[in-house]
Amino acid sequence: MSNETKLNVLMVGTGEYTTGFVHNAASTSDKKVGVIALTMFDLRRRGKVDKVSIVGTNGKKFGMIREHLDKNIGQVYNMDTSLQHTCPADDTIDPDAYKTAIDQYMSPGDAITVFTPDPTHYSIALYAIERGLHVLLTKPAVKILDHHQHLIAEAEKRGVVVMVEHHKRFDPVYGDARAKIQNLGEFNYYYAYMSQRKQQLDTFRNWAGKESDISYYLNSHHIDFHCWALEGRAVPYRVMASGSKGVATSEPFNLTEATEDTISLLVNWKSTCNPGHEGVAVYTSSWVAPNKSEVHSQQRFHYLGASGEINVDQAHRGYTFTNDDNGYASVNPFFMNYAPDEEGHFGGQTGYGYVSIEKFVDACRAVNNKRLTPQQLDQRHMPTIRNTVLVTAILEAGRISLDEKRPVTIEPTTNNNGWKLV
């Protein structure tokens, strides 16, 4: 496989998750040097990726971004952080620059990563798929179920890989929990909670409450895990959502009045194996946790099956750190481990944040080299666009429930090849 064609990658979006650069400075979160660019540079060093390019909407940031990448990645890890192309030009602002970059720099079989505001995912992904490119979408894949199902159809028509970056699937704790769930009988109850510090309201102020909400952003993690764990065994059929407000809309954030602080989705599930068996799930997410919280993100769930239960506290793994500047912290290097290896290179290849991106790159190369088909990725329970459709169904149903103050039903379409919301 070492002689196989390397993958050319265009990173769409220049923000925190891609570069670690936010509001003209390094992020103050746990992603100070980002995830996507760092991983792609390292995969290039390891011979899996060839050309790495980036596109945003504001070319005037690129000078600062190049400097940030060189200082915080290149010099720290003795790593090549050069970019084959940047788009738009350094003196240009262009919301449609991704079209120019795809048309001018990319060819069928190349790949893009999409880490941009939620409402833009569909149009960017569709444009790339129509031109024969593989796509990695940040979560949520899209906001609307119809859009998700259209991407499924277009991806299958053109034989390209479209995956959603649900990195929880590659967390060894979550993977082990899923395996155990298969032997716990019928699903009964699931509760998941995920939060982030209030400082994220500043990071996301350009879109928070206007273009998307905290449920799309954070609940998507545990909803996908739950759908993955129950794949082929149960399906959701009813969603009722509630939200709280008041922090994000007040000083010092002053976000739009529509911005919820915390959102809970109450979801009813029914067994596809044993009629009469039903379960209930509660997915809660918040972005108004204390700024001095010992973790950037609280993450935990409780699963109850007919013959056993599982509790996972992903935020506290027995590794704590305290210093004079920042106080007490509970550390999670299992997502992204930024420590250099013994040769001074990046050494975090086993972090599940890294693994989720490498799995996408490996899948694209395998499809390009005829070793694998996109349908086989579906069968392997990877987070493909097809295997994640119920995540979007639940998330959109939750948004409708909040806006219209009613329960929303998820039903199979008449040909049983898709889903609809009622």
Side-chain angles (χ1 to χ4, degrees), residues 198-262:
K198 285 193 285 285
Q199 67 193 42
Q200 290 297 87
L201 292 172
D202 276 328
T203 301
F204 302 131
R205 66 166 45 255
N206 289 335
W207 58 263
K210 294 179 289 187
E211 297 177 340
S212 195
D213 60 41
I214 187 57
S215 183
Y216 276 111
Y217 173 52
L218 286 186
N219 270 335
S220 52
H221 292 72
H222 282 112
I223 292 174
D224 176 71
F225 170 77
H226 195 209
C227 290
W228 179 45
L230 296 181
E231 197 171 61
R233 301 168 58 219
V235 292
Y237 71 89
R238 184 180 184 273
V239 180
M240 187 69 191
S242 295
S244 59
K245 295 181 179 180
V247 177
T249 57
S250 303
E251 293 286 348
F253 307 108
N254 296 319
L255 299 186
T256 175
E257 289 299 319
T259 309
E260 293 95 357
D261 298 331
T262 303

Side-chain angles (χ1 to χ4, degrees), residues 289-311:
N291 281 332
K292 297 298 183 181
S293 172
E294 79 279 13
V295 292
H296 176 71
S297 182
Q298 297 283 352
Q299 304 175 44
R300 53 184 177 266
F301 74 80
H302 172 222
Y303 180 95
L304 177 65
S307 60
E309 63 182 350
I310 295 175
N311 285 280

Side-chain angles (χ1 to χ4, degrees), residues 34 100 104 147 156 249 311 343 381 402:
T100 302
Q104 292 187 1
H147 286 174
E156 293 182 350
T249 57
N311 285 280
E343 297 180 1
H381 308 288
L402 282 167

Side-chain angles (χ1 to χ4, degrees), residues 238-288:
R238 184 180 184 273
V239 180
M240 187 69 191
S242 295
S244 59
K245 295 181 179 180
V247 177
T249 57
S250 303
E251 293 286 348
F253 307 108
N254 296 319
L255 299 186
T256 175
E257 289 299 319
T259 309
E260 293 95 357
D261 298 331
T262 303
I263 293 174
S264 288
L265 308 183
L266 177 66
V267 182
N268 296 98
W269 287 69
K270 58 185 175 184
S271 172
T272 56
C273 306
N274 295 299
H277 280 272
E278 295 200 7
V280 64
V282 182
Y283 314 109
T284 297
S285 59
S286 177
W287 45 15
V288 295

Side-chain angles (χ1 to χ4, degrees), residues 125 133 197 218 223 245 272 315 339 353 356 365 371 399 408:
L133 303 184
R197 295 168 176 167
L218 286 186
I223 292 174
K245 295 181 179 180
T272 56
S356 68
R365 295 182 71 206
R371 287 191 290 107
R399 187 65 257 171
V408 177

